[in-house]
């Protein structure tokens, strides 16, 4: 128990302490490729080896696949993203939160301690225009050897809906009613480099809160309104310059 006197009162916190036990084996998850296009079937190899080098043959495997938005693709200001580091960058990019469930499965490691699994790159219930332009699909793996000892591992694949990503940022986040607002667009390739010459179609819209229809199933959950996108102004086009900006 940790205790600290504060303003005449003693505050305490119980901290559990347990002996560290080094895992008997290591689990490695290796995707077939580091990035893919949405709609592809992803493949990864699970490999488990005891620390003395022998494969963990015959071990049971349970895996889960999750997808979360890769927010790095949504940040138009590269300098802003560069200023984010460490745990904060991992959190923003989806590195500390698995996200939406995609699939799960089970298997057994072969004599070489390996198992190849396939899993989806997106939620099949989503239409193409409903998918985020970039996601991190994480494969989380748990392995139990014949002696009931456990190990785990994970890896992720960056999945995009196209060969380029586009981010939009307004000149400011507060505007006067009736006054035009300027925005800039940043087009990047999948390595994060500027993508000059990219033509971008822009459609301004506004969010309008409307009442749900009487027979909408969401009313069973206590909801009475929802937000709807309404076009605001005419569509526009822009072409990215040498720096990827438009």
């Amino acid at each position: 128990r940790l205790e600290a006197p504060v303003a005449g009162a003693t505050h305490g916190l119980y901290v559990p302490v347990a002996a560290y036990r080094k895992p008997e084996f290591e689990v490695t998850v290796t995707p077939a490729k580091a990035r893919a296009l949405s709609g592809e079937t992803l493949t990864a190899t699970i490999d488990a080896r005891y620390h003395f080098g022998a494969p963990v043959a015959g071990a049971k495997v349970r895996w889960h696949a999750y997808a979360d938005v890769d927010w790095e693709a949504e940040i138009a200001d590269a300098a802003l993203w560069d200023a984010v580091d460490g745990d904060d960058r991992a959190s923003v990019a989806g590195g500390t939160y698995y996200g939406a469930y995609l699939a799960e499965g089970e298997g057994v490691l072969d004599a070489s301690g390996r198992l190849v699994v396939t899993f989806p790159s997106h939620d099949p219930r989503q239409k193409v225009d409903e998918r985020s332009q970039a996601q991190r699909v994480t494969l989380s793996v748990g392995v139990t050897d014949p002696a009931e000892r456990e190990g785990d591992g994970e890896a992720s694949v960056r999945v995009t809906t196209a060969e380029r990503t586009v981010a939009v940022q307004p000149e400011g986040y507060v505007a006067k009613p009736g006054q035009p607002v300027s925005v800039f667009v940043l087009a990047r390739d999948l390595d994060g480099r500027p993508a000059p010459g990219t033509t971008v179609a822009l459609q301004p819209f506004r969010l309008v809160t409307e009442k749900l229809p009487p027979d909408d199933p969401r009313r069973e959950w206590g909801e009475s309104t929802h937000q709807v996108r309404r076009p605001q102004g005419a569509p526009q086009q822009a072409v990215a310059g040498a720096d990827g900006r438009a």
Side-chain angles (χ1 to χ4, degrees):
R1 176 179 168 84
L2 300 177
E3 295 185 348
V6 178
T10 300
H11 300 267
L13 173 68
Y14 284 99
V15 179
V17 178
Y20 171 74
R21 182 177 179 181
K22 184 178 179 180
E24 298 290 338
F25 56 87
E26 181 178 3
V27 179
T28 304
V29 182
T30 307
K33 50 186 178 180
R35 63 187 181 214
L37 291 176
S38 182
E40 293 184 35
T41 298
L42 305 179
T43 302
T45 300
I46 302 167
D47 184 293
R49 296 192 171 273
Y50 293 105
H51 290 293
F52 55 83
V56 189
K60 297 178 182 178
V61 176
R62 178 120 182 132
W63 59 266
H64 297 80
Y66 305 87
D68 194 28
V69 177
D70 184 351
W71 290 106
E72 180 180 1
E74 306 293 336
I75 298 178
D77 190 342
L80 176 62
W81 178 250
D82 290 340
V84 182
D85 57 12
D87 293 338
D88 291 334
R89 173 173 288 200
S91 179
V92 170
T96 59
Y97 174 64
Y98 287 142
Y101 166 85
L102 291 182
E104 63 183 86
E106 297 179 341
V108 178
L109 299 182
D110 62 17
S112 64
R114 294 186 176 92
L115 174 67
V116 176
V117 300
T118 58
F119 51 101
S121 59
H122 68 283
D123 186 340
R125 296 169 298 180
Q126 286 184 322
K127 299 178 182 178
V128 174
D129 59 356
E130 294 175 340
R131 302 173 194 170
S132 300
Q133 64 173 333
Q135 290 187 314
R136 291 281 177 182
V137 175
T138 300
L139 183 68
S140 179
V141 176
V143 177
T144 304
D145 76 355
E148 297 298 319
R149 293 171 294 198
E150 298 179 342
D152 58 72
E154 68 178 41
S156 64
V157 178
R158 191 175 195 235
V159 176
T160 57
T161 55
E163 296 289 348
R164 298 178 181 181
T165 62
V166 176
V168 181
Q169 184 170 316
E171 186 177 43
Y173 292 94
V174 179
K176 293 182 179 180
Q179 296 296 315
V181 176
S182 297
V183 300
F184 71 84
V185 178
L186 177 62
R188 290 174 284 196
D189 63 20
L190 298 187
D191 291 317
R193 297 180 299 232
T198 300
T199 300
V200 181
L202 302 172
Q203 173 59 68
F205 67 88
R206 59 193 176 96
L207 288 175
V208 179
T209 300
E210 297 182 351
K211 291 184 178 181
L212 288 171
D215 58 347
D216 193 294
R218 284 173 289 183
R219 286 188 173 274
E220 297 180 5
W221 298 93
E223 298 181 27
S224 59
T225 62
H226 67 149
Q227 289 189 321
V228 181
R229 293 186 179 189
R230 300 297 185 196
Q232 180 79 16
Q236 302 179 47
Q237 279 196 342
V239 179
D243 60 354
R245 291 174 179 259

